[in-house]
């Protein structure tokens, strides 16, 4: 059983400018686990996709609230939960299908696929008209050698 060793929760508005804030914040928080640059980039990419989904799909015509909760565990893993209170997803299985999108033709429909490929775990819970919660999890590989 793993125990949470540190956590932080942030609430921010669904403005596109906050996507960069969220990904940078997640990278800084994950730095406590001494990840490699590749692991940091994986986390940043997955968080970017999760937050962008909130901005584009949960609140397409208005601003709303996004909550990001990050937890570190004693097994060297990080869990990042991204939650919105927007439109929700009618069919989560369909939404997780590569190339499926409810956005404009400019959207690739690869958000969940990208999150899943960069993280060790992905859970999606959603209720139409009440919002969506995406939970990402990644185990950071221990580094060999002496730490300074």
């Amino acid at each position: 059983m793993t125990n949470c060793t540190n956590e932080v929760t942030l609430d921010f508005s669904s403005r596109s400018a906050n996507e960069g804030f969220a990904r940078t914040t997640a990278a800084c928080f994950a730095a406590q686990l001494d990840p490699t640059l590749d692991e940091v980039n994986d986390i940043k990419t997955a968080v970017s996709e999760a937050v962008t989904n909130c901005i584009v799909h949960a609140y397409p015509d208005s601003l709303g609230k996004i909550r990001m909760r990050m937890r570190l565990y004693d097994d060297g893993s990080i869990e990042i939960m991204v939650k919105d209170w927007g439109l929700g997803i009618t069919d989560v299985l369909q939404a997780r299908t590569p190339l499926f999108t409810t956005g404009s033709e400019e959207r690739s429909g690869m958000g969940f696929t990208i999150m899943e490929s960069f993280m060790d775990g992905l859970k999606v819970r959603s209720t139409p008209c009440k919002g969506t919660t995406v939970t990402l999890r990644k185990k950071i590989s221990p580094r060999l050698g002496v730490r300074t």
Side-chain angles (χ1 to χ4, degrees):
M1 174 112 180
T2 59
N3 294 310
C4 179
T5 59
N6 196 6
E7 84 175 86
V8 66
T9 301
L10 303 168
D11 288 340
F12 50 93
S13 73
S14 61
R15 296 183 183 280
S16 59
N18 286 335
E19 176 272 327
F21 168 74
R23 65 186 273 133
T24 302
T25 302
C28 291
F29 190 73
Q32 297 170 70
L33 296 175
D34 195 25
T36 64
L37 285 177
D38 285 342
E39 289 168 330
V40 170
N41 286 331
D42 290 352
I43 291 166
K44 288 169 66 176
T45 299
V47 166
S48 177
E49 291 294 333
V51 171
T52 298
N53 275 357
C54 296
I55 293 166
V56 171
H57 299 292
Y59 307 111
D61 301 316
S62 62
L63 286 178
K65 181 170 82 170
I66 299 171
R67 174 167 292 156
M68 185 168 74
R69 184 192 71 212
M70 297 173 286
R71 289 181 173 167
L72 301 179
Y73 291 91
D74 60 7
D75 69 349
S77 64
I78 183 169
E79 180 183 80
I80 303 166
M81 184 261 318
V82 179
K83 178 178 179 57
D84 67 65
W85 290 264
L87 295 178
I89 301 169
T90 304
D91 185 339
V92 171
L93 261 140
Q94 183 181 38
R96 289 184 69 167
T97 303
L99 305 178
F100 176 82
T101 183
T102 59
S104 67
E105 60 187 44
E106 298 150 6
R107 310 305 315 169
S108 71
M110 294 297 289
F112 287 129
T113 303
I114 290 168
M115 287 180 245
E116 196 164 32
S117 69
F118 283 101
M119 302 299 279
D120 298 324
L122 169 67
K123 291 181 184 171
V124 182
R125 289 183 298 127
S126 189
T127 303
C129 302
K130 293 189 177 180
T132 302
T133 302
V134 171
T135 305
L136 307 161
R137 191 164 181 117
K138 185 163 189 75
K139 181 137 172 45
I140 302 302
S141 303
R143 302 249 209 134
L144 300 175
V146 179
R147 295 179 195 252
T148 57

